[in-house]
Short mmCIF file of all heavy atoms in Angstrom, two decimals:
data_model
loop_
_atom_site.label_atom_id
_atom_site.label_comp_id
_atom_site.label_asym_id
_atom_site.label_seq_id
_atom_site.Cartn_x
_atom_site.Cartn_y
_atom_site.Cartn_z
N GLU B 5 -55.37 21.71 84.13
CA GLU B 5 -53.98 22.11 84.38
C GLU B 5 -53.24 21.01 85.13
O GLU B 5 -52.08 20.70 84.83
CB GLU B 5 -53.94 23.41 85.18
CG GLU B 5 -54.46 24.62 84.41
CD GLU B 5 -54.49 25.88 85.28
OE1 GLU B 5 -54.25 25.76 86.50
OE2 GLU B 5 -54.75 26.96 84.74
N GLN B 6 -53.93 20.41 86.10
CA GLN B 6 -53.33 19.34 86.88
C GLN B 6 -53.03 18.12 85.99
O GLN B 6 -51.96 17.50 86.10
CB GLN B 6 -54.27 18.93 88.01
CG GLN B 6 -53.63 17.98 89.02
CD GLN B 6 -54.54 17.75 90.21
OE1 GLN B 6 -55.75 17.97 90.15
NE2 GLN B 6 -53.97 17.30 91.31
N THR B 7 -53.96 17.81 85.09
CA THR B 7 -53.75 16.70 84.15
C THR B 7 -52.56 16.97 83.25
O THR B 7 -51.72 16.09 83.02
CB THR B 7 -55.02 16.49 83.29
OG1 THR B 7 -56.10 16.11 84.14
CG2 THR B 7 -54.79 15.41 82.24
N ALA B 8 -52.48 18.21 82.74
CA ALA B 8 -51.36 18.58 81.86
C ALA B 8 -50.03 18.46 82.59
O ALA B 8 -49.04 17.95 82.04
CB ALA B 8 -51.56 20.00 81.34
N GLN B 9 -50.00 18.90 83.85
CA GLN B 9 -48.77 18.82 84.65
C GLN B 9 -48.37 17.37 84.91
O GLN B 9 -47.18 17.02 84.88
CB GLN B 9 -48.95 19.57 85.97
CG GLN B 9 -48.91 21.08 85.82
CD GLN B 9 -48.89 21.79 87.17
OE1 GLN B 9 -48.84 21.16 88.23
NE2 GLN B 9 -48.94 23.11 87.14
N THR B 10 -49.37 16.53 85.18
CA THR B 10 -49.10 15.11 85.42
C THR B 10 -48.50 14.46 84.18
O THR B 10 -47.50 13.73 84.25
CB THR B 10 -50.40 14.37 85.81
OG1 THR B 10 -50.91 14.93 87.03
CG2 THR B 10 -50.14 12.88 85.99
N LYS B 11 -49.07 14.75 83.02
CA LYS B 11 -48.58 14.17 81.77
C LYS B 11 -47.17 14.68 81.44
O LYS B 11 -46.33 13.92 80.96
CB LYS B 11 -49.55 14.48 80.64
CG LYS B 11 -50.88 13.72 80.76
CD LYS B 11 -51.80 14.01 79.59
CE LYS B 11 -53.07 13.16 79.68
NZ LYS B 11 -53.98 13.39 78.55
N GLN B 12 -46.93 15.96 81.71
CA GLN B 12 -45.59 16.52 81.48
C GLN B 12 -44.57 15.85 82.38
O GLN B 12 -43.45 15.54 81.97
CB GLN B 12 -45.61 18.03 81.72
CG GLN B 12 -46.31 18.82 80.62
CD GLN B 12 -46.50 20.29 80.99
OE1 GLN B 12 -46.03 20.76 82.03
NE2 GLN B 12 -47.18 21.02 80.13
N ALA B 13 -44.97 15.63 83.64
CA ALA B 13 -44.06 14.98 84.60
C ALA B 13 -43.74 13.55 84.19
O ALA B 13 -42.60 13.10 84.31
CB ALA B 13 -44.68 15.01 86.00
N LEU B 14 -44.73 12.84 83.69
CA LEU B 14 -44.51 11.45 83.26
C LEU B 14 -43.66 11.40 82.00
O LEU B 14 -42.81 10.51 81.85
CB LEU B 14 -45.85 10.74 83.05
CG LEU B 14 -46.60 10.41 84.35
CD1 LEU B 14 -48.03 9.98 84.05
CD2 LEU B 14 -45.87 9.32 85.13
N THR B 15 -43.85 12.36 81.09
CA THR B 15 -43.00 12.43 79.90
C THR B 15 -41.56 12.74 80.29
O THR B 15 -40.61 12.15 79.77
CB THR B 15 -43.52 13.50 78.92
OG1 THR B 15 -44.86 13.17 78.53
CG2 THR B 15 -42.65 13.56 77.67
N ALA B 16 -41.41 13.66 81.24
CA ALA B 16 -40.07 14.01 81.74
C ALA B 16 -39.41 12.80 82.40
O ALA B 16 -38.20 12.57 82.25
CB ALA B 16 -40.15 15.17 82.72
N SER B 17 -40.21 12.00 83.10
CA SER B 17 -39.64 10.81 83.76
C SER B 17 -39.22 9.77 82.73
O SER B 17 -38.26 9.02 82.94
CB SER B 17 -40.65 10.20 84.74
OG SER B 17 -41.73 9.59 84.08
N LEU B 18 -39.92 9.73 81.59
CA LEU B 18 -39.54 8.82 80.51
C LEU B 18 -38.14 9.18 79.99
O LEU B 18 -37.31 8.31 79.74
CB LEU B 18 -40.57 8.90 79.38
CG LEU B 18 -40.34 8.02 78.16
CD1 LEU B 18 -40.39 6.55 78.53
CD2 LEU B 18 -41.39 8.32 77.08
N ILE B 19 -37.89 10.47 79.88
CA ILE B 19 -36.57 10.95 79.44
C ILE B 19 -35.51 10.61 80.49
O ILE B 19 -34.42 10.12 80.17
CB ILE B 19 -36.61 12.47 79.19
CG1 ILE B 19 -37.58 12.80 78.06
CG2 ILE B 19 -35.21 13.00 78.89
CD1 ILE B 19 -37.95 14.27 77.97
N THR B 20 -35.84 10.86 81.75
CA THR B 20 -34.89 10.60 82.85
C THR B 20 -34.51 9.12 82.91
O THR B 20 -33.33 8.77 82.97
CB THR B 20 -35.51 11.03 84.19
OG1 THR B 20 -35.80 12.43 84.15
CG2 THR B 20 -34.55 10.76 85.34
N VAL B 21 -35.52 8.26 82.91
CA VAL B 21 -35.26 6.82 82.98
C VAL B 21 -34.56 6.35 81.71
O VAL B 21 -33.71 5.46 81.76
CB VAL B 21 -36.58 6.05 83.19
CG1 VAL B 21 -36.32 4.54 83.18
CG2 VAL B 21 -37.24 6.46 84.51
N GLY B 22 -34.88 6.99 80.59
CA GLY B 22 -34.28 6.61 79.31
C GLY B 22 -32.79 6.88 79.23
O GLY B 22 -32.12 6.36 78.33
N ARG B 23 -32.26 7.66 80.15
CA ARG B 23 -30.81 7.90 80.18
C ARG B 23 -30.07 6.70 80.78
O ARG B 23 -28.86 6.60 80.67
CB ARG B 23 -30.50 9.17 80.98
CG ARG B 23 -31.02 10.44 80.31
CD ARG B 23 -30.45 11.70 80.96
NE ARG B 23 -30.94 12.89 80.28
CZ ARG B 23 -31.84 13.72 80.76
NH1 ARG B 23 -32.37 13.49 81.96
NH2 ARG B 23 -32.23 14.79 80.08
N LYS B 24 -30.84 5.81 81.42
CA LYS B 24 -30.23 4.65 82.08
C LYS B 24 -30.68 3.32 81.50
O LYS B 24 -29.99 2.30 81.65
CB LYS B 24 -30.57 4.67 83.58
CG LYS B 24 -30.10 5.94 84.30
CD LYS B 24 -30.61 5.96 85.73
CE LYS B 24 -30.22 7.25 86.45
NZ LYS B 24 -30.78 7.31 87.83
N LYS B 25 -31.84 3.32 80.84
CA LYS B 25 -32.40 2.08 80.31
C LYS B 25 -32.87 2.26 78.88
O LYS B 25 -33.20 3.38 78.46
CB LYS B 25 -33.61 1.64 81.15
CG LYS B 25 -33.31 1.21 82.57
CD LYS B 25 -34.58 0.68 83.22
CE LYS B 25 -34.30 0.11 84.61
NZ LYS B 25 -35.51 -0.52 85.18
N THR B 26 -32.93 1.16 78.15
CA THR B 26 -33.55 1.21 76.84
C THR B 26 -35.06 1.34 77.03
O THR B 26 -35.60 0.97 78.08
CB THR B 26 -33.27 -0.08 76.04
OG1 THR B 26 -33.89 -1.18 76.71
CG2 THR B 26 -31.77 -0.32 75.91
N LEU B 27 -35.74 1.85 76.00
CA LEU B 27 -37.19 2.01 76.09
C LEU B 27 -37.86 0.68 76.39
O LEU B 27 -38.81 0.62 77.17
CB LEU B 27 -37.73 2.60 74.78
CG LEU B 27 -39.24 2.81 74.72
CD1 LEU B 27 -39.71 3.77 75.81
CD2 LEU B 27 -39.64 3.33 73.34
N ALA B 28 -37.38 -0.39 75.78
CA ALA B 28 -37.98 -1.72 75.97
C ALA B 28 -37.95 -2.16 77.43
O ALA B 28 -38.81 -2.93 77.88
CB ALA B 28 -37.27 -2.75 75.09
N LYS B 29 -36.97 -1.67 78.19
CA LYS B 29 -36.82 -2.11 79.58
C LYS B 29 -37.42 -1.13 80.60
O LYS B 29 -37.43 -1.41 81.79
CB LYS B 29 -35.35 -2.34 79.89
CG LYS B 29 -34.76 -3.52 79.13
CD LYS B 29 -33.33 -3.80 79.54
CE LYS B 29 -32.80 -5.03 78.81
NZ LYS B 29 -31.40 -5.34 79.18
N VAL B 30 -37.91 0.01 80.11
CA VAL B 30 -38.55 0.97 81.02
C VAL B 30 -39.90 0.40 81.46
O VAL B 30 -40.68 -0.11 80.66
CB VAL B 30 -38.76 2.32 80.31
CG1 VAL B 30 -39.57 3.27 81.20
CG2 VAL B 30 -37.42 2.96 79.96
N SER B 31 -40.17 0.51 82.77
CA SER B 31 -41.43 0.00 83.31
C SER B 31 -42.26 1.14 83.89
O SER B 31 -41.77 2.25 84.10
CB SER B 31 -41.15 -1.02 84.41
OG SER B 31 -40.55 -0.38 85.53
N VAL B 32 -43.52 0.85 84.15
CA VAL B 32 -44.40 1.83 84.81
C VAL B 32 -43.84 2.18 86.18
O VAL B 32 -43.86 3.35 86.60
CB VAL B 32 -45.84 1.29 84.93
CG1 VAL B 32 -46.70 2.21 85.80
CG2 VAL B 32 -46.47 1.14 83.54
N ALA B 33 -43.31 1.19 86.88
CA ALA B 33 -42.72 1.45 88.20
C ALA B 33 -41.56 2.44 88.09
O ALA B 33 -41.41 3.33 88.94
CB ALA B 33 -42.24 0.13 88.80
N ASP B 34 -40.75 2.30 87.05
CA ASP B 34 -39.64 3.24 86.82
C ASP B 34 -40.18 4.66 86.66
O ASP B 34 -39.63 5.62 87.22
CB ASP B 34 -38.86 2.88 85.56
CG ASP B 34 -38.08 1.59 85.70
OD1 ASP B 34 -37.61 1.29 86.81
OD2 ASP B 34 -37.94 0.88 84.68
N LEU B 35 -41.25 4.79 85.87
CA LEU B 35 -41.80 6.11 85.56
C LEU B 35 -42.45 6.76 86.78
O LEU B 35 -42.27 7.97 87.01
CB LEU B 35 -42.82 5.98 84.42
CG LEU B 35 -42.27 5.46 83.09
CD1 LEU B 35 -43.39 5.25 82.08
CD2 LEU B 35 -41.23 6.42 82.52
N THR B 36 -43.19 5.98 87.55
CA THR B 36 -43.84 6.56 88.73
C THR B 36 -42.81 6.91 89.80
O THR B 36 -42.94 7.93 90.48
CB THR B 36 -44.89 5.58 89.29
OG1 THR B 36 -44.28 4.31 89.56
CG2 THR B 36 -46.03 5.39 88.31
N ARG B 37 -41.77 6.09 89.91
CA ARG B 37 -40.71 6.37 90.88
C ARG B 37 -39.97 7.65 90.51
O ARG B 37 -39.72 8.51 91.36
CB ARG B 37 -39.74 5.19 90.94
CG ARG B 37 -38.73 5.26 92.10
CD ARG B 37 -37.78 4.07 92.07
NE ARG B 37 -38.51 2.80 92.06
CZ ARG B 37 -38.50 1.93 91.06
NH1 ARG B 37 -37.81 2.18 89.96
NH2 ARG B 37 -39.18 0.80 91.15
N ALA B 38 -39.64 7.81 89.24
CA ALA B 38 -38.88 8.97 88.79
C ALA B 38 -39.70 10.26 88.84
O ALA B 38 -39.17 11.34 89.08
CB ALA B 38 -38.37 8.75 87.37
N SER B 39 -41.01 10.14 88.64
CA SER B 39 -41.87 11.33 88.61
C SER B 39 -42.49 11.67 89.95
O SER B 39 -42.96 12.79 90.16
CB SER B 39 -43.00 11.12 87.59
OG SER B 39 -43.83 10.03 87.99
N GLY B 40 -42.50 10.69 90.87
CA GLY B 40 -43.16 10.91 92.16
C GLY B 40 -44.67 10.82 92.06
O GLY B 40 -45.39 11.25 92.97
N ILE B 41 -45.16 10.28 90.97
CA ILE B 41 -46.60 10.14 90.74
C ILE B 41 -47.01 8.69 91.03
O ILE B 41 -46.30 7.76 90.66
CB ILE B 41 -46.95 10.53 89.29
CG1 ILE B 41 -46.75 12.04 89.10
CG2 ILE B 41 -48.38 10.13 88.92
CD1 ILE B 41 -46.81 12.50 87.67
#
Side-chain angles (χ1 to χ4, degrees):
E5 293 176 352
Q6 190 173 20
T7 297
Q9 285 188 4
T10 298
K11 290 182 176 181
Q12 287 171 5
L14 288 168
T15 300
S17 71
L18 180 63
I19 297 165
T20 300
V21 177
R23 294 192 178 106
K24 301 174 183 177
K25 293 186 174 185
T26 64
L27 179 60
K29 293 185 177 180
V30 174
S31 67
V32 171
D34 291 327
L35 298 174
T36 55
R37 190 181 305 115
S39 63
I41 291 169

